[in-house]
Amino acid sequence: MSNSLGNNLLYQGFLTSTVLEHKSRITPPCVGGNSLFQQQVISKSPLSTEFRGNRLRVQKNKKIPMGKKRAFSTYPHALLTTDTSSELAEKFSLEGNIELQVDVRPPTSDDASFVDFQVTNGSDKLFLHWGAVKFGKETWSLPNDCPDGTKVYKNKALRTPFVKSGSNSILRLEILDTAIEAIEFLIYDEARDKWIKNNGGNFRVKLSRREIRGPDVSVPEELVQIQSYLRWERKGKQNYTPEKEKEEYEAARTELQEEIARGASIQDIRARLTKTNDKSQSKEEPPHVTESDIPDDLAQVQAYIRWEKAGKPNYPPERQIEELEEARRELQLELEKGITLDELRKKITKGEIKTKVEKHLKRSSFAVERIQRKKRDFGQLINKYPSSPAVQVQKVLEEPPALSKIKLYAKEKEEQVDDPILNKKIFKVDDGELLVLVAKSSGKTKVHLATDLNQPITLHWALSRSPGEWMVPPSSILPPGSIVLDKAAETPFSVSSSDGLTSKVQSLDIVIEDGNFVGMPFVLFSGEKWIKNQGSDFYVDFSAASKLALKAAGDGSGTAKSLLDKIADMESEAQKSFMHRFNIAADLMEDATSAGELGFAGILVWMRFMATRQLIWNKNYNVKPREISKAQDRLTDLLQNAFTSHPQYRETLRMIMSTVGRGGEGDVGQRIRDEILVIQRKNDCKGGMMEEWHQKLHNNTSPDDVVICQALIDYIKSDFDIGVYWKTLNENGITKERLLSYDRAIHSEPNFRGDQKDGLLRDLGHYMRTLKAVHSGADLESAIANCMGYKTEGEGFMVGVQINPVSGLPSGFQDLLHFVLDHVEDKNVETLLEGLLEAREELRPLLLKPNNRLKDLLFLDIALDSTVRTAVERGYEELNSANPEQLMYFISLVLENLALSVDDNEDLVYCLKGWNQALSMSNGGNHHWALFAKAVLDRTRLALASKAEWYHHLLQPSAEYLGSILGVDQWALNIFTEEIIRAGSAASLSSLLNRLDPVLRKTANLGSWQIISPVEAVGYVVVVDELISVQNEIYEKPTILVAKSVKGEEEIPDGAVALITPDMPDVLSHVSVRARNGKVCFATCFDPNILADLQAKEGRILLLKPTPSDVIYSEVNEIELQSSSNLVEAETSATLRLVRKQFGGCYAISADEFTSEMVGAKSRNIAYLKGKVPSWVGIPTSVALPFGVFEKVLSDDINQGVAKELQILTKKLSEGEFNALGEIRTTVLELSAPAQLVKELKEKMQGSGMPWPGDEGPKRWEQAWMAIKKVWASKWNERAYFSTRKVKLDHDYLCMAVLVQEIINADYAFVIHTTNPSSGDDSEIYAEVVRGLGETLVGAYPGRALSFICKKKDLNSPQVLGYPSKPIGLFIKRSIIFRSDSNGEDLEGYAGAGLYDSVPMDEEEEVVIDYSSDPLITDGNFRQTILSNIARAGHAIEELYGSSQDIEGVVRDGKLYVVQTRPQM
């Protein structure tokens, strides 16, 4: 126990494990278990205490009122008021402007009490639903007397109508039964069929009775305290003022006195209050000490010590009373030995009173209590903010502030210096600046100094062989005019006038030939004034590390470069102490805010370098802990303000705060300095390691001190095993070298005596809380204490601390935090995770609105988040035997935590809803649950990958640029973003997904492979990161590509005979179609072990043999490769010919004019279907700009300039300058539309019943015309151009018609292959379906579509193969689409489909898809109907053409539309 008992005792609500203040392991004013032993204290002892909420105040001659928890209620809310005409009046705010007032009139001579109810602004039909509570009873009963109109409701309550009087409703009850203690009631609003409750419970109003006349009844204080707690609990556990606490305590005493006056005995009351009686007790009740020499406060302290030694169990009420009396008896025995009360008090303080208690075992993890989580709409978790305007950020980056005179001079000087510049610093001095440039050449160090100060300046300087040392410079290097002093030299600056620089300044050059000097300390002197560097000496380092690294820093693109340069310039100042660093960061917050997202990213990178010890924490500067704490407080205040004013950057700001620590103005930091002295004095450990640590703490405390304190605690607990001390230090990054590197080095190891053990453990434990309160932003216990509030008194010279509770916390929130602390070390972490997440969910609304204590709430949220991650890592072991449902639930908890921590979390939230749906399907016996869960798992992986890419894009450029300038280790820069990700929930979530994946694949019978193109292949294994990076390669040998990333739009390079990927391209994506057309083996491998084995075989020759569900592979030799069919020369493009199409005389044609000379197969096929498909299949109306129109437009006189430019560019292209492709596309977009084209297209569109864009205004026509030109320009897409070259097609002969169709705003889009492409089975149809438009299906959009097969002989029984994992759907308003239709798209032997663009007139909107509300997923009947209709449409079209078809279409309001069909390749 602490010498200052009041500092370290916590008193909580009595007799309940749910109304607990913080455990004793929290900050000093918190204790755990039951609120032990809050005995009423009537004593002159200076240790008397007064409890206020969750803090403890040490005062004299005060009573300890009942414990309580803070309660923050919504309506109705009870407030005590005063009324001259009544003894008791209570007001309740019900809802809106409705109020209830209850007045209790004191009894008259006939012993009747009157209770008056008045409801203001209520409805016309209100009823009092009520009963009476008698003394000694907990539930209500029905009184005999009641007002007229009262009815008995279900024999459980009385229901009395209110009487309407103006805007009020009134009612009076007359209570004659003197045994009735209170009226308990609800109000029923019949007009609205609504119950009005008091915080979810009953209202309760105590009756006022005449004063009982008779002897003064004495009631044991412990019984009064229990009764007062029960009163507080009945009233909704409100947050009482100190005055109200006293009033309630005395009211409890009066109640018990009245009960005794009615004949109850003390034993009866005790039995009632402790829910026991003399008959049921198995052992004799311990004698109650009525007279004792032991003051109550000392008995409470001793009871607390007993409770601690027993393992802080949750005692039942009767056991608490026993423990208090047992503690009193122990102390009485000590007094009987002849010692005085003062001596007894000292023995208690030192923990010297012997006590015997039974150690209570911790609760079994198999019988863990659980919280009841609220049902929530997870959609409310979505944080979605518009992207930061890149233009604004770029403007900030492009317009750096104007250079100052010295900065301009420095720039010019650097250009003149030929030698390598090792170091450059610009210091602020008075109203000017000082430049120091250090260069090195031929073993000489050259120092150039310059300042723009106007008054004459003298340099007072020395040299250092070790940093900070002052040595007089050798006379041989002194510049002219220098004088030598004792340990320094003085040299005047001179005005620069002959070097030709535009900026004239005072300057000085020093050349040092001795290479053993490492730096130069100096100050400036002007007149009678010394000029220092913010109170310290200037120091310039001759080290080359930082400046040489600058050359590798790059140009700072993708960063807030101007801000990072400022940070780099000020790092030498920031190195002095945390106070300097935090104050500089605070000064730079305005710049960071102006730079937006990249600015805050820069601050985060800098603070992260600090937190990971990549930067110097303290250098030649002594700073008080309270100054560090104050600087932290200043910075976190600014971060708090930015969090409120810039919600789109909250995730980044939150990460900055987690690196900075909480801080705290003044006294919190000062206690670091003071408490270590108290620990040394109390425990007689003033020398050795403790003194060295004390000196370090006084000089410059840091987060290392938290680790050192923990290492000492672990060392003492291990019975002084020094190996444990070093283990704790090393595991947290502190080595012997680091201890020696402090300005006040720690040389010694701890060496304590056995008799110091208990005292040191106690006091270091308390000290740890103080350290964490300042340095740790993620420490749960200190974060909770900071929000709940506490008070710690000073001792002697030591300052006190008072932290007030944060206002507005949710009702029951404190109980929730106690639950978390009770279970924070449980082995079974699921219950803990539920509590942590419930706490975060309850806290979240408070984080989204302004609050002057917002940063305390943020640090609490950060701590809860951190505890989740720690618990998840601890819970891995228990998942070894978990079933899939347990794993999925665990994943949902971790995902919920991640969603609560990040911005732009819409995709993550929908993944979370997906996991809950998968659990529901599993629990409901849906046999598709594993298949659906696999899709949710795949989508979750995509969401994590997207988040990782965002982190990398935002942070990595700043990390590399700033880190290179500051000389941060390259390995730390390489893994910077990776470590950021590992520090969050994403890494844990990824591990859990990896664990569940094979379980789901096995359950869903998915196997390890999906075969996309089943072709046998032999070739050399080549491993690549992305297929797109090699799509234009030409492999000389047959090659099996193992590509980590395949998006779906890539080309397969020449020479590739197989493509293996873990990625998830759709079976009907472009790359999949190209693989099948090119007879290339293509498969997705889901098993990471198989994939790793394939990657390990790079350079070897493998034979791949696909089966419908597997790929069998084996190594072969060169001979088998030579005999492989892969080496047989394919019949190539020698037989492929394109026929140049001519302009047919029309700019636009209708569907009945479509011929092979006018349009491509896409247009002709859609026209052919019109009127031939079943009536329930819609065909969109179409017109076209036929072949030759592009060339005609190009040759028009209005486009002569464009034609000339294209001629030049196509010549460059023919000569191999492939970068001309982009220029050609841009030039095509400059074409103007001939008037005749506009006229004809308008006529054809209107004649076909299509809307004409020009009717909506000239701008709409311009949009349509631009879309047409983009279709023509896509002829020169890189992918399309190189594909024609591969098959030796003449690109000039490729002609482009444009098919014009009205867009159907689709609910779903689908692609059908009427022969299963994976198996070649022509008896079944294969199809894929996506939400919205079909571009997400055929384009490079991540994730998979819903896929299914359907036997042609049973079109009503589609079989789902996979559920969708695509996070994005494309949607568009009513519009026009212009589709490419070239003469090469369906050329036999060359699949040109998908190579060229189809362009809508309006941009599609990307929508993040919530599959949990999609009827295609949730409604089995709807799904069966839609999929069957798709299959039937495909079968009908196949029969119409007589061959396998590749069909695209959409679904709108349940109706199918086919937008194109072509032969399946």
Side-chain angles (χ1 to χ4, degrees):
M1 301 297 297
S2 167
N3 197 26
S4 175
L5 292 170
N7 296 349
N8 303 314
L9 282 181
L10 294 158
Y11 294 86
Q12 305 163 306
F14 198 81
L15 301 177
T16 173
S17 61
T18 57
V19 188
L20 305 182
E21 293 305 329
H22 313 151
K23 296 278 187 185
S24 61
R25 60 178 180 269
I26 317 176
T27 46
C30 299
V31 207
N34 323 52
S35 69
L36 234 357
F37 320 117
Q38 277 192 34
Q39 175 83 334
Q40 179 78 0
V41 177
I42 305 175
S43 168
K44 295 182 180 180
S45 164
L47 294 176
S48 299
T49 57
E50 181 175 334
F51 180 68
R52 291 284 178 265
N54 29 28
R55 64 189 188 276
L56 194 65
R57 218 160 42 190
V58 178
Q59 293 183 354
K60 287 188 177 182
N61 301 328
K62 291 281 186 178
K63 298 179 181 179
I64 301 180
M66 52 174 275
K68 67 184 189 315
K69 81 176 181 68
R70 295 185 56 80
F72 299 87
S73 59
T74 55
Y75 67 85
H77 183 59
L79 298 169
L80 202 66
T81 64
T82 58
D83 189 325
T84 57
S85 63
S86 65
E87 185 171 303
L88 178 66
E90 291 195 56
K91 272 188 178 179
F92 301 84
S93 296
L94 304 183
E95 57 183 17
N97 61 346
I98 303 176
E99 289 188 347
L100 165 68
Q101 178 161 324
V102 184
D103 293 321
V104 179
R105 311 282 173 172
T108 57
S109 58
D110 59 0
D111 271 344
S113 291
F114 294 91
V115 185
D116 291 327
F117 300 81
Q118 176 176 294
V119 178
T120 305
N121 301 320
S123 72
D124 294 336
K125 292 187 176 181
L126 297 179
F127 292 84
L128 188 74
H129 184 89
W130 64 287
V133 181
K134 296 186 177 182
F135 284 96
K137 304 295 182 182
E138 294 185 1
T139 58
W140 73 28
S141 59
L142 304 186
N144 296 323
D145 302 301
C146 51
D148 292 339
T150 301
K151 294 181 180 180
V152 178
Y153 183 78
K154 296 184 179 180
N155 293 321
K156 293 183 178 179
L158 300 179
R159 184 170 285 186
T160 305
F162 280 76
V163 178
K164 193 70 177 177
S165 175
S167 62
N168 299 331
S169 298
I170 59 175
L171 171 64
R172 165 171 284 193
L173 300 181
E174 182 180 5
I175 308 299
L176 299 174
D177 188 347
T178 58
I180 294 177
E181 175 191 24
I183 298 297
E184 201 159 297
F185 65 96
L186 303 171
I187 294 177
Y188 176 64
D189 187 342
E190 187 179 69
R192 297 187 296 161
D193 190 24
K194 181 174 183 179
W195 290 95
I196 300 174
K197 299 183 179 182
N198 182 19
N199 292 325
N202 298 338
F203 296 86
R204 186 182 181 110
V205 175
K206 184 181 180 300
L207 301 186
S208 176
R209 292 296 177 192
R210 286 179 303 161
E211 182 179 349
I212 296 176
R213 308 182 189 281
D216 185 17
V217 183
S218 175
V219 183
E221 293 301 328
E222 69 269 19
L223 300 184
V224 176
Q225 189 165 3
I226 296 173
Q227 180 71 7
S228 67
Y229 173 78
L230 294 174
R231 284 175 55 84
W232 170 68
E233 196 175 50
R234 284 198 304 267
K235 292 193 174 187
K237 303 179 181 178
Q238 300 177 40
N239 185 31
Y240 289 149
T241 62
E243 292 74 18
K244 179 64 175 174
E245 284 183 355
K246 296 175 184 176
E247 180 184 320
E248 283 292 304
Y249 194 90
E250 292 307 318
R253 185 192 305 279
T254 301
E255 287 177 343
L256 297 182
Q257 288 174 336
E258 289 178 351
E259 194 172 347
I260 292 171
R262 291 185 176 85
S265 67
I266 294 293
Q267 288 75 17
D268 293 337
I269 294 174
R270 188 184 304 278
R272 174 178 67 79
L273 292 178
T274 59
K275 297 182 182 177
T276 181
N277 55 57
D278 292 338
K279 295 179 182 178
S280 64
Q281 288 179 347
S282 59
K283 60 180 181 180
E284 188 176 358
E285 182 181 7
H288 178 60
V289 180
T290 56
E291 293 185 8
S292 173
D293 297 326
I294 304 301
D296 289 341
D297 64 321
L298 295 187
Q300 285 183 303
V301 172
Q302 183 65 13
Y304 174 81
I305 294 172
R306 289 176 54 82
W307 172 73
E308 268 195 330
K309 290 187 175 182
K312 303 179 182 179
N314 286 331
Y315 285 143
E318 63 273 16
R319 179 62 185 276
Q320 292 189 44
I321 296 172
E322 293 174 12
E323 283 292 308
L324 184 62
E325 297 308 326
E326 185 62 34
R328 193 186 302 276
R329 279 194 291 273
E330 287 179 344
L331 299 183
Q332 188 69 38
L333 289 173
E334 291 293 324
L335 275 184
E336 291 172 0
K337 295 177 182 178
I339 66 174
T340 65
L341 273 178
D342 286 341
E343 291 171 332
L344 178 64
R345 195 179 304 278
K346 290 178 181 178
K347 292 187 73 173
I348 296 173
T349 299
K350 295 180 179 179
E352 294 177 354
I353 303 296
K354 292 184 178 180
T355 183
K356 292 183 178 181
V357 293
E358 181 182 349
K359 187 74 173 181
H360 284 249
L361 298 176
K362 290 189 176 181
R363 286 185 302 249
S364 167
S365 62
F366 297 101
V368 177
E369 57 180 314
R370 301 183 86 108
I371 62 162
Q372 186 65 40
R373 294 208 63 187
K374 294 180 182 178
K375 291 185 177 180
R376 289 183 170 85
D377 175 12
F378 285 121
Q380 299 299 314
L381 293 182
I382 294 174
N383 297 325
K384 194 175 182 181
Y385 305 105
S387 300
S388 306
V391 176
Q392 290 185 4
V393 176
Q394 193 62 32
K395 185 176 180 182
V396 172
L397 301 181
E398 290 176 353
E399 297 179 7
L403 293 178
S404 64
K405 187 175 182 180
I406 277 295
K407 287 187 174 68
L408 186 61
Y409 174 88
K411 183 178 179 182
E412 295 171 333
K413 188 70 177 177
E414 283 183 272
E415 291 173 355
Q416 286 189 352
V417 175
D418 296 327
D419 302 323
I421 294 176
L422 304 184
N423 213 334
K424 168 192 168 184
K425 291 186 179 181
I426 296 179
F427 300 96
K428 290 183 179 179
V429 287
D430 287 355
D431 55 352
E433 292 179 315
L434 171 68
L435 165 70
V436 182
L437 275 180
V438 180
K440 197 148 192 172
S441 177
S442 303
K444 297 180 180 180
T445 302
K446 300 178 180 179
V447 183
H448 180 82
L449 301 98
T451 180
D452 57 354
L453 292 174
N454 293 322
Q455 65 271 30
I457 299 296
T458 298
L459 180 72
H460 182 90
W461 62 289
L463 294 174
S464 303
R465 295 192 187 274
S466 59
E469 181 184 20
W470 279 73
M471 295 180 62
V472 64
S475 58
S476 60
I477 69 168
L478 295 177
S482 300
I483 59 173
V484 178
L485 304 175
D486 182 21
K487 290 187 177 180
E490 288 188 350
T491 306
F493 281 71
S494 59
V495 177
S496 174
S497 59
S498 60
D499 54 11
L501 295 171
T502 57
S503 300
K504 303 302 179 184
V505 297
Q506 296 187 71
S507 64
L508 174 61
D509 287 295
I510 300 172
V511 179
I512 304 160
E513 297 182 354
D514 187 344
N516 292 321
F517 291 113
V518 298
M520 186 178 88
F522 65 92
V523 294
L524 303 178
F525 186 71
S526 176
E528 300 298 321
K529 179 181 178 183
W530 290 99
I531 301 173
K532 293 192 172 187
N533 183 18
Q534 297 190 2
S536 299
D537 299 340
F538 294 95
Y539 184 80
V540 59
D541 196 341
F542 294 166
S543 168
S546 60
K547 199 60 191 179
L548 289 179
L550 180 58
K551 295 181 179 179
D555 60 1
S557 59
T559 73
K561 182 176 181 298
S562 177
L563 173 66
L564 298 185
D565 288 340
K566 284 186 179 181
I567 290 173
D569 287 343
M570 303 178 85
E571 175 57 28
S572 60
E573 184 71 11
Q575 290 178 357
K576 290 183 177 179
S577 72
F578 281 113
M579 178 192 73
H580 291 81
R581 189 175 299 280
F582 293 144
N583 277 328
I584 291 171
D587 292 340
L588 292 174
M589 276 295 292
E590 186 175 347
D591 289 351
T593 304
S594 299
E597 187 174 57
L598 292 179
F600 291 127
I603 297 292
L604 171 58
V605 166
W606 187 36
M607 292 293 103
R608 180 76 180 175
F609 284 156
M610 171 204 72
T612 55
R613 301 190 179 102
Q614 293 296 320
L615 302 177
I616 295 172
W617 283 4
N618 173 235
K619 189 172 184 179
N620 304 321
Y621 201 90
N622 189 347
V623 62
K624 297 179 178 66
R626 67 167 174 263
E627 294 171 335
I628 296 176
S629 175
K630 185 176 179 180
Q632 279 177 294
D633 207 46
R634 178 183 170 219
L635 175 56
T636 51
D637 276 344
L638 292 172
L639 291 167
Q640 165 187 272
N641 297 339
F643 190 91
T644 301
S645 59
H646 295 81
Q648 68 272 37
Y649 307 136
R650 280 177 174 161
E651 182 177 353
T652 307
L653 290 163
R654 193 172 177 277
M655 288 193 286
I656 297 172
M657 293 187 76
S658 70
T659 66
V660 172
R662 184 179 298 104
E665 180 89 28
D667 292 343
V668 176
Q670 183 59 27
R671 285 185 69 89
I672 290 179
R673 209 170 194 184
D674 295 345
E675 281 187 51
I676 189 64
L677 292 171
V678 174
I679 292 171
Q680 288 180 281
R681 185 189 66 200
K682 285 171 57 178
N683 296 281
D684 189 25
C685 53
K686 296 182 179 179
M689 178 268 170
M690 289 295 284
E691 179 59 26
E692 292 169 353
W693 187 32
H694 159 223
Q695 292 300 326
K696 184 234 182 263
L697 290 161
H698 270 237
N699 185 58
N700 211 321
T701 183
S702 71
D704 279 3
D705 295 315
V706 177
V707 180
I708 294 171
C709 188
Q710 187 61 55
L712 288 172
I713 291 172
D714 293 346
Y715 159 70
I716 297 167
K717 285 183 176 179
S718 69
D719 287 330
F720 311 108
D721 183 346
I722 198 64
V724 172
Y725 170 77
W726 286 111
K727 182 175 184 288
T728 300
L729 290 178
N730 294 336
E731 286 178 349
N732 290 277
I734 298 182
T735 62
K736 289 183 180 180
E737 291 73 21
R738 184 164 184 83
L739 293 176
L740 294 172
S741 72
Y742 302 139
D743 278 1
R744 299 292 187 272
I746 297 177
H747 300 272
S748 306
E749 293 181 335
N751 184 19
F752 302 129
R753 303 186 307 272
D755 63 337
Q756 295 172 305
K757 181 175 182 178
D758 290 343
L760 281 171
L761 281 177
R762 178 189 62 239
D763 294 342
L764 286 173
H766 297 321
Y767 192 48
M768 175 69 87
R769 298 166 199 149
T770 300
L771 290 170
K772 286 183 175 180
V774 173
H775 291 304
S776 177
D779 178 63
L780 182 62
E781 295 172 352
S782 59
I784 289 175
N786 234 45
C787 288
M788 295 298 103
Y790 65 91
K791 178 185 175 82
T792 303
E793 294 293 342
E795 178 184 346
F797 60 84
M798 193 165 66
V799 298
V801 174
Q802 177 168 331
I803 303 295
N804 294 321
V806 176
S807 62
L809 293 175
S811 176
F813 187 62
Q814 193 169 359
D815 284 348
L816 196 53
L817 295 180
H818 295 322
F819 177 89
V820 166
L821 290 171
D822 281 344
H823 295 279
V824 76
E825 296 178 1
D826 284 0
K827 184 177 180 181
N828 184 342
V829 301
E830 188 176 288
T831 300
L832 171 62
L833 290 176
E834 291 173 338
L836 288 164
L837 288 167
E838 190 66 18
R840 293 197 70 193
E841 293 276 11
E842 290 287 291
L843 191 58
R844 182 176 180 273
L846 298 181
L847 303 179
L848 305 181
K849 56 188 179 183
N851 186 315
N852 63 351
R853 295 283 299 281
L854 177 61
K855 69 178 181 181
D856 289 322
L857 298 175
L858 281 168
F859 279 121
L860 175 56
D861 189 58
I862 289 167
L864 291 166
D865 178 23
S866 176
T867 308
V868 169
R869 298 195 304 271
T870 303
V872 169
E873 291 166 4
R874 193 170 73 244
Y876 281 151
E877 183 179 345
E878 72 179 80
L879 294 176
N880 288 336
S881 58
N883 59 40
E885 288 78 11
Q886 289 173 312
L887 275 171
M888 288 194 294
Y889 181 59
F890 210 83
I891 285 171
S892 72
L893 295 176
V894 180
L895 183 55
E896 182 182 354
N897 188 65
L898 181 60
L900 283 164
S901 304
V902 302
D903 295 333
D904 293 323
N905 62 356
E906 191 173 13
D907 194 13
L908 292 171
V909 170
Y910 292 151
C911 289
L912 175 59
K913 294 177 77 172
W915 283 113
N916 287 333
Q917 185 175 346
L919 279 166
S920 178
M921 292 170 68
S922 175
N923 295 332
N926 188 319
H927 66 279
H928 277 193
W929 73 265
L931 202 59
F932 179 76
K934 179 63 170 74
V936 179
L937 184 147
D938 292 340
R939 179 176 181 177
T940 308
R941 277 179 169 159
L942 289 172
L944 293 179
S946 176
K947 197 66 190 174
E949 288 175 11
W950 179 81
Y951 280 133
H952 193 276
H953 175 77
L954 176 65
L955 301 177
Q956 195 64 29
S958 294
E960 292 178 0
Y961 181 76
L962 182 62
S964 296
I965 297 175
L966 299 182
V968 173
D969 292 337
Q970 188 61 47
W971 65 265
L973 301 184
N974 294 341
I975 64 170
F976 183 85
T977 303
E978 181 182 340
E979 288 301 306
I980 289 280
I981 295 168
R982 287 186 187 216
S985 295
S988 300
L989 182 56
S990 181
S991 297
L992 291 169
L993 296 177
N994 291 339
R995 182 175 294 201
L996 180 61
D997 193 353
V999 177
L1000 292 180
R1001 283 193 281 107
K1002 181 178 180 180
T1003 306
N1005 299 313
L1006 292 176
S1008 300
W1009 294 87
Q1010 180 173 26
I1011 311 304
I1012 298 172
S1013 177
V1015 178
E1016 188 173 313
V1018 180
Y1020 291 89
V1021 176
V1022 173
V1023 179
V1024 298
D1025 284 331
E1026 297 178 318
L1027 178 61
I1028 196 170
S1029 66
V1030 297
Q1031 66 176 352
N1032 295 323
E1033 294 284 336
I1034 299 176
Y1035 291 102
E1036 299 295 335
K1037 299 178 180 179
T1039 299
I1040 297 172
L1041 286 174
V1042 181
K1044 295 177 185 175
S1045 171
V1046 177
K1047 299 304 181 187
E1049 275 199 329
E1050 303 93 335
E1051 288 295 312
I1052 295 177
D1054 283 353
V1057 296
L1059 175 59
I1060 306 296
T1061 181
D1063 220 332
M1064 298 178 291
D1066 291 303
V1067 173
L1068 302 183
S1069 66
H1070 172 79
V1071 70
S1072 301
V1073 173
R1074 305 296 276 175
R1076 288 190 291 269
N1077 292 345
K1079 301 297 186 289
V1080 173
C1081 177
F1082 186 16
T1084 293
C1085 178
F1086 297 116
D1087 190 324
N1089 296 322
I1090 295 176
L1091 191 70
D1093 185 54
L1094 287 169
Q1095 292 169 333
K1097 297 184 184 303
E1098 184 168 20
R1100 302 181 192 177
I1101 306 170
L1102 292 186
L1103 168 63
L1104 306 182
K1105 289 187 175 182
T1107 70
S1109 61
D1110 198 1
V1111 174
I1112 300 169
Y1113 62 93
S1114 59
E1115 288 193 49
V1116 297
N1117 55 37
E1118 288 276 357
I1119 297 175
E1120 292 172 284
L1121 176 63
Q1122 294 294 331
S1123 62
S1124 167
S1125 60
N1126 282 324
L1127 294 182
V1128 177
E1129 290 284 336
E1131 292 186 19
T1132 63
S1133 38
T1135 61
L1136 296 180
R1137 292 288 184 271
L1138 282 175
V1139 178
R1140 189 192 295 272
K1141 302 294 183 178
Q1142 304 297 323
F1143 179 63
C1146 297
Y1147 283 101
I1149 58 176
S1150 57
D1152 55 7
E1153 300 173 274
F1154 291 176
T1155 67
S1156 60
E1157 292 301 313
M1158 302 293 282
V1159 293
K1162 186 183 295 183
S1163 300
R1164 300 196 307 275
N1165 288 339
I1166 204 68
Y1168 177 74
L1169 291 177
K1170 197 83 170 179
K1172 297 183 179 65
V1173 293
S1175 60
W1176 49 269
V1177 177
I1179 304 295
T1181 301
S1182 306
V1183 301
L1185 282 73
F1187 293 138
V1189 172
F1190 168 73
E1191 290 77 11
K1192 180 67 175 175
V1193 170
L1194 186 62
S1195 65
D1196 195 288
D1197 290 345
I1198 61 174
N1199 291 311
Q1200 286 183 1
V1202 176
K1204 186 175 181 180
E1205 180 66 20
L1206 280 179
Q1207 190 175 12
I1208 295 170
L1209 291 172
T1210 52
K1211 186 175 185 300
K1212 290 171 63 176
L1213 182 61
S1214 67
E1215 294 171 352
E1217 295 186 37
F1218 300 129
N1219 58 354
L1221 287 167
E1223 297 178 65
I1224 291 174
R1225 293 196 299 273
T1226 302
T1227 304
V1228 169
L1229 300 184
E1230 297 173 7
L1231 288 169
S1232 299
Q1236 186 63 25
L1237 181 149
V1238 179
K1239 178 177 179 294
E1240 290 185 26
L1241 183 58
K1242 178 179 180 180
E1243 290 174 353
K1244 292 297 182 182
M1245 290 181 70
Q1246 290 180 333
S1248 300
M1250 297 174 66
W1252 168 244
D1255 289 343
E1256 302 175 48
K1259 186 176 180 181
R1260 292 291 287 164
W1261 160 245
E1262 286 301 323
Q1263 284 180 257
W1265 175 235
M1266 180 57 70
I1268 292 169
K1269 291 186 288 186
K1270 287 180 178 179
V1271 174
W1272 285 335
S1274 69
K1275 173 182 174 179
W1276 287 277
N1277 281 338
E1278 281 80 1
R1279 190 158 55 92
Y1281 178 77
F1282 287 113
S1283 70
T1284 58
R1285 283 170 56 90
K1286 286 179 182 178
V1287 293
K1288 299 182 173 59
L1289 282 174
D1290 190 334
H1291 188 261
D1292 290 340
Y1293 277 39
L1294 190 129
C1295 298
M1296 188 75 69
V1298 181
L1299 175 63
V1300 185
Q1301 293 178 322
E1302 189 172 3
I1303 289 181
I1304 297 161
N1305 189 5
D1307 299 321
Y1308 305 98
F1310 59 82
V1311 173
I1312 308 169
H1313 278 198
T1314 58
T1315 293
N1316 189 329
S1318 296
S1319 65
D1321 187 348
D1322 61 4
S1323 70
E1324 63 186 16
I1325 291 170
Y1326 176 89
E1328 294 181 340
V1329 187
V1330 295
R1331 284 290 308 274
L1333 300 177
E1335 181 58 25
T1336 59
L1337 182 56
V1338 298
Y1341 285 83
R1344 280 224 169 103
L1346 182 147
S1347 60
F1348 72 96
I1349 58 172
C1350 193
K1351 292 294 183 180
K1352 294 174 183 177
K1353 63 182 180 182
D1354 186 8
L1355 294 172
N1356 288 322
S1357 302
Q1359 177 188 344
V1360 174
L1361 300 179
Y1363 283 91
S1365 59
K1366 286 185 179 291
I1368 297 296
L1370 295 179
F1371 296 85
I1372 197 169
K1373 63 182 182 180
R1374 186 185 181 192
S1375 185
I1376 304 294
I1377 188 167
F1378 301 88
R1379 299 183 183 275
S1380 59
D1381 190 22
S1382 75
N1383 60 339
E1385 288 195 34
D1386 294 302
L1387 186 66
E1388 187 174 353
Y1390 170 67
L1395 290 175
Y1396 308 102
D1397 295 343
S1398 294
V1399 184
M1401 191 171 78
D1402 298 283
E1403 287 190 14
E1404 306 99 329
E1405 179 187 4
E1406 288 193 357
V1407 176
V1408 183
I1409 302 299
D1410 178 8
Y1411 290 111
S1412 68
S1413 60
D1414 182 356
L1416 193 66
I1417 308 303
T1418 61
D1419 186 338
N1421 292 330
F1422 177 82
R1423 180 171 62 247
Q1424 194 270 343
T1425 299
I1426 293 296
L1427 300 189
S1428 293
N1429 286 345
I1430 290 172
R1432 281 202 295 271
H1435 186 53
I1437 293 172
E1438 181 185 54
E1439 289 193 328
L1440 184 63
Y1441 279 95
S1443 62
S1444 298
Q1445 293 293 299
D1446 176 354
I1447 305 162
E1448 296 180 20
V1450 298
V1451 179
R1452 172 69 180 178
D1453 296 331
K1455 181 176 176 60
L1456 267 66
Y1457 297 84
V1458 170
V1459 297
Q1460 71 179 61
T1461 185
R1462 54 177 169 259
Q1464 180 177 334
M1465 304 296 288

